Amino acid sequence: MQTHARRAGTDLWFITGIDSGKTQDKAMIHELYKPDWKAWMGDEGGERDGGPDDPRIALIEVKADSAYYLKSTQPRLIALFNIAIAIATGDPPKAGDMGELRHDLATGAARE
């Protein structure tokens, strides 16, 4: 999954494959779609091309009080190069290391 830009009233939006059992909202996919999503979906040909009408794409809306995150371990240029390779090969890139962030609801403070 890949996070997307924040939107008013929502903590996070993610893109994901429709075959993972999530619900799909085509209008919102078209509104939020970015060309780099193809790196994560790959191009299997036909309508399964990683574009905004790809039937595998679904959105997940998240309102969170804790989350795992991916911290980039590569310089931006290398990460962009790896995303370009992923677009060309159809294999998702390894983008970094995982971590956890917790949110204390009582104080509003975030902590790792």
Side-chain angles (χ1 to χ4, degrees):
M1 292 191 308
Q2 177 186 5
T3 58
H4 188 325
R6 194 170 182 167
R7 180 183 166 102
T10 301
D11 290 336
L12 298 169
W13 279 104
F14 288 91
I15 67 159
T16 189
I18 191 67
D19 57 352
S20 64
K22 313 313 187 284
T23 303
Q24 192 169 24
D25 180 342
K26 281 296 190 188
M28 189 61 68
I29 289 170
H30 274 268
E31 183 179 332
L32 298 175
Y33 184 81
K34 301 285 185 206
D36 68 345
W37 291 13
K38 285 187 176 200
W40 302 101
M41 299 307 296
D43 186 348
E44 295 179 0
E47 65 180 3
R48 298 168 67 94
D49 64 356
D53 293 313
D54 188 317
R56 299 171 298 158
I57 296 177
L59 295 172
I60 303 169
E61 180 180 12
V62 177
K63 295 185 179 184
D65 53 44
S66 68
Y68 288 93
Y69 62 90
L70 180 68
K71 182 177 181 182
S72 178
T73 57
Q74 304 168 339
R76 183 156 176 82
L77 186 59
I78 300 287
L80 291 173
F81 179 73
N82 287 334
I83 289 172
I85 290 172
I87 290 171
T89 65
D91 294 327
K94 173 164 176 8
D97 296 327
M98 296 292 295
E100 183 178 10
L101 180 66
R102 296 187 187 115
H103 188 76
D104 185 340
L105 295 176
T107 65
R111 66 185 197 288
E112 283 190 59

